[in-house]
């Protein structure tokens, strides 16, 4: 059983891994190369290498070499949890932008951006329509003379606020909604998603509609972008055809646009420079990891990668569930299938064969949030048993199935069980609305007709619950 665990990285996945190690009586040591957050933290420490010990076949141990203030040191650990994530190295494909080296203005990757003051009275071009690109474009619009946002494939843009003013993730990420989506043919699921996205504003009229509506792309969450577009403060443009000394020529555009600053919000790549490729090899934007966590071919599963996944949901609870499962494996309380079966599972996943139902998670690292988390929870006996709860605690069962799939559900049972989980689930809407109800208003009592509609709707939901589960 592993005792001493090296945790590489002190981001959200690293912190969750430390917590899970401590909960299970392990001794984590966290290495963080920056001076910010980092069981036992070693700040401004760079991990140079993580290599197998000569007796790895029997011990499963690793030697971790680190650099701190110019001095190298090494230590032996029973296990390693790599928590560096996928946002490690800025991706800046300058060769894809002809003429960029002749540009006399300023250009940089979005990672270098800090404050919008630098855009004052400038003509700014933001390349890339992810969350970072749209956020920067909106901020720049308050200071710049003009802002352009260039996108190749478009994107769905959604508000943080959904039906009835509720947080969108609490409405969208429910087991009931997920079950319905996965039961529908992919074209129907995509059509419903497009209809939902366009209910806020027509994306085609704003030049934003995604070109590829089959393969799911993470929606952009930005409440201000539509307002910036309709008021002319941000202009949506197609891909760049050519960059000139003081201007840019866009595809299918008759004239060039003068530009002072270009911000490349072109994403990130990831790598593990401290690991040999024989341990973890990165190809085509993904690694050969069993269930996105354990290197598939390792005889001794004593190295885990946490947070290298893009769930269609919250990353923080996903990373925590990965860490909980990984710690159980490291302690020897949960066993993995043989390497041959793990490799087979990884290869099947890499083929990205659409099932024909539900949303298409075909891009590297993409995953169905609820389905993936439930798979890991099942391995550690922490998935809520809805059948049992329906008989013993129907109120909780209905809240779990129809309500937000929040991380409280993952602490009802299994290792790390929390006694307050049930109450937290049943009162989460009260806490959510308390923040907005800062003024008492007189609400009209619900009519009898509304009551009947509600009763009928609940009866339908219960029927579906019994049919599909």
């Amino acid at each position: 059983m592993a005792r001493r665990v090296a945790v590489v990285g002190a981001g959200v996945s690293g912190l969750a891994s430390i917590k899970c190690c401590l909960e299970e009586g392990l001794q984590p040591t966290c290495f963080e190369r920056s001076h910010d957050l980092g069981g036992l933290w070693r700040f401004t420490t760079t991990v140079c290498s993580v290599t197998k010990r000569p007796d790895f076949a029997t011990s499963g141990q690793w030697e971790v070499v680190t650099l701190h203030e110019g001095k190298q040191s090494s230590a032996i650990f029973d296990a390693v949890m790599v928590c560096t994530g996928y946002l490690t190295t800025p991706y800046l494909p300058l060769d894809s932008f002809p003429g960029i080296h002749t540009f006399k203005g300023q250009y940089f990757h979005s990672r270098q951006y800090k404050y919008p003051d630098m855009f004052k009275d400038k003509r700014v071009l933001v390349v890339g329509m992810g969350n970072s690109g749209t956020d920067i474009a909106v901020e720049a619009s308050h200071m710049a003379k003009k802002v352009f946002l260039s996108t190749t494939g478009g994107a769905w843009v959604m508000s943080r606020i959904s039906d009835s003013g509720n947080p969108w993730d609490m409405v969208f990420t429910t087991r009931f909604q997920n079950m319905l989506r996965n039961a529908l043919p992919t074209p129907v699921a995509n059509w419903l998603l497009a209809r939902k996205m366009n209910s806020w504003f027509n994306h085609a009229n704003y030049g934003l509609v995604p070109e590829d509506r089959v393969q799911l792309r993470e929606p952009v969450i930005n409440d201000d972008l539509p307002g910036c577009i309709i008021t002319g403060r941000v202009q949506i443009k197609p891909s760049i055809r050519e960059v000139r000394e003081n201007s840019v020529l866009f595809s299918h555009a008759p004239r060039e646009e003068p530009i002072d600053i270009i911000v490349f919000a072109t994403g990130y790549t990831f790598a593990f420079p401290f690991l040999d490729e024989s341990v973890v090899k990165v190809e085509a934007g993904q690694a050969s990891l069993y269930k996105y966590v354990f290197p598939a071919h390792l005889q001794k599963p004593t190295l885990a990668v946490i947070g290298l996944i893009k769930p269609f949901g919250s990353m923080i609870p996903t990373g925590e569930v990965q860490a909980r499962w990984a710690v159980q494996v490291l302690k020897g309380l949960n066993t993995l299938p043989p390497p041959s079966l793990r490799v087979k599972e990884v290869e099947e996943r890499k083929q990205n064969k659409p099932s024909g139902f539900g949303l298409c998670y075909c891009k590297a690292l993409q995953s169905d949030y609820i389905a993936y988390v439930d798979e890991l929870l099942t391995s550690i006996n922490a998935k809520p048993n809805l059948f049992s709860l329906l008989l013993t605690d129907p109120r909780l069962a209905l809240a779990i199935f129809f309500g937000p799939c929040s991380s409280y559900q993952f602490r009802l049972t299994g290792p790390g069980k929390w006694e307050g989980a049930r109450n937290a689930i049943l009162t989460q809407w009260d806490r959510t609305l308390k923040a907005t109800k800062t003024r008492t208003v007189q609400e009209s009592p619900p009519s009898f007709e509304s009551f009947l509609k509600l009763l009928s709707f609940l009866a339908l939901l219960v029927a579906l619950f019994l049919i599909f589960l």
Side-chain angles (χ1 to χ4, degrees):
M1 180 187 78
R3 291 295 298 173
R4 299 188 66 224
V5 181
V7 178
V8 183
V12 292
S13 296
L15 296 177
S17 297
I18 293 168
K19 177 177 178 290
C20 292
C21 285
L22 293 174
E23 285 178 341
E24 294 297 323
L26 303 183
Q27 301 166 9
T29 299
C30 183
F31 300 99
E32 171 57 44
R33 65 182 179 183
S34 73
H35 58 79
D36 212 347
L37 271 181
L40 170 64
W41 289 297
R42 300 186 182 180
F43 298 114
T44 61
T45 300
T46 300
V47 175
C48 302
S49 65
V50 176
T51 55
K52 298 177 184 176
R53 292 278 291 161
D55 61 347
F56 180 83
T58 54
S59 70
Q61 290 183 326
W62 301 84
E63 180 177 8
V64 179
V65 177
T66 58
L67 180 67
H68 177 66
E69 295 181 348
K71 295 180 181 180
Q72 270 198 355
S73 60
S74 66
I76 307 302
F77 291 92
D78 300 311
V80 177
M81 300 179 79
V82 179
C83 309
T84 52
Y86 55 85
L87 304 176
T88 54
T89 306
Y91 177 59
L92 193 57
L94 295 180
D95 293 341
S96 301
F97 303 96
I100 185 63
H101 296 296
T102 67
F103 184 62
K104 292 184 177 180
Q106 183 182 4
Y107 66 87
F108 54 88
H109 190 272
S110 58
R111 186 172 184 171
Q112 298 175 257
Y113 169 76
K114 300 298 180 185
Y115 306 104
D117 301 20
M118 62 182 302
F119 299 136
K120 186 173 176 59
D121 298 327
K122 302 290 186 181
R123 299 175 69 89
V124 180
L125 167 61
V126 181
V127 181
M129 203 180 158
N131 284 295
S132 295
T134 52
D135 285 346
I136 293 173
V138 168
E139 287 196 5
S141 71
H142 298 293
M143 304 290 293
K145 182 185 295 184
K146 202 164 191 178
V147 178
F148 301 98
L149 180 58
S150 171
T151 174
T152 301
W156 294 122
V157 178
M158 60 188 300
S159 171
R160 291 173 176 82
I161 308 302
S162 186
D163 301 339
S164 301
N166 296 316
W168 80 268
D169 53 342
M170 295 184 73
V171 174
F172 184 86
T173 312
T174 72
R175 294 180 180 277
F176 173 67
Q177 294 256 18
N178 203 59
M179 180 200 70
L180 286 184
R181 282 192 295 270
N182 291 336
L184 295 172
T186 298
V188 177
N190 288 337
W191 177 79
L192 288 174
L193 178 66
R195 187 169 179 268
K196 180 64 178 176
M197 295 298 177
N198 281 322
S199 66
W200 185 28
F201 68 94
N202 189 313
H203 283 62
N205 292 343
Y206 284 65
L208 296 172
V209 67
E211 290 184 1
D212 184 356
R213 304 188 201 181
V214 177
Q215 296 191 33
L216 181 67
R217 176 182 172 180
E218 180 185 4
V220 172
I221 301 176
N222 196 296
D223 296 278
D224 302 317
L225 183 63
C228 290
I229 295 173
I230 202 169
T231 56
R233 291 188 288 129
V234 174
Q235 291 188 24
I236 303 299
K237 291 290 185 180
S239 58
I240 296 174
R241 189 169 76 191
E242 182 184 353
V243 179
R244 297 177 179 174
E245 288 187 357
N246 299 295
S247 61
V248 167
L249 190 61
F250 295 100
S251 299
H252 314 298
R255 64 185 182 87
E256 57 191 273
E257 296 285 353
I259 298 294
D260 300 308
I261 300 176
I262 302 177
V263 183
F264 289 99
T266 45
Y268 294 80
T269 59
F270 67 90
F272 305 104
F274 49 85
L275 286 173
D276 189 82
E277 283 194 352
S278 62
V279 178
V280 177
K281 187 176 182 180
V282 178
E283 291 180 309
Q286 55 186 323
S288 297
L289 300 173
Y290 176 66
K291 298 195 185 303
Y292 295 100
V293 177
F294 288 97
H297 60 282
L298 277 185
Q299 291 293 333
K300 292 283 187 179
T302 55
L303 184 142
V305 179
I306 308 299
L308 192 64
I309 187 173
K310 297 179 181 179
F312 197 49
S314 179
M315 181 62 238
I316 295 176
T318 303
E320 188 197 31
V321 171
Q322 285 183 327
R324 287 173 67 191
W325 174 54
V327 166
Q328 295 301 306
V329 174
L330 298 180
K331 288 187 65 176
L333 301 177
N334 199 285
T335 56
L336 300 184
S340 58
L341 294 181
R342 302 201 300 260
V343 171
K344 181 181 177 183
E345 191 263 11
V346 169
E347 292 304 317
E348 288 176 353
R349 189 191 74 226
K350 284 184 176 179
Q351 292 177 10
N352 288 331
K353 289 184 177 179
S355 66
F357 290 88
L359 299 175
C360 182
Y361 302 95
C362 296
K363 296 186 178 180
L365 304 182
Q366 282 187 338
S367 177
D368 182 324
Y369 168 63
I370 293 179
Y372 175 73
V373 167
D374 276 353
E375 187 178 1
L376 299 188
L377 291 173
T378 300
S379 300
I380 58 174
N381 297 316
K383 180 186 175 183
N385 188 325
L386 290 177
F387 284 115
S388 175
L389 287 174
L390 193 60
L391 297 175
T392 60
D393 195 341
R395 182 186 175 198
L396 178 61
L398 293 174
I400 291 173
F401 187 64
F402 296 113
C405 188
S406 53
S407 55
Y408 305 128
Q409 296 185 12
F410 313 152
R411 292 284 178 173
L412 284 166
T413 185
K417 177 183 176 181
W418 177 43
E419 295 300 328
R422 180 185 184 275
N423 183 63
I425 292 169
L426 296 177
T427 58
Q428 57 189 327
W429 277 114
D430 297 333
R431 291 191 302 282
T432 300
L433 298 178
K434 185 177 180 180
T436 61
K437 287 187 173 182
T438 56
R439 171 177 169 263
T440 303
V441 296
Q442 188 69 32
E443 298 184 64
S444 57
S447 64
F448 182 68
E449 183 182 356
S450 299
F451 174 74
L452 287 179
K453 287 181 179 179
L454 177 62
L455 195 64
S456 301
F457 180 66
L458 289 175
L460 175 62
L461 294 184
V462 172
L464 290 171
F465 179 82
L466 295 174
I467 291 171
F468 286 102
L469 291 183

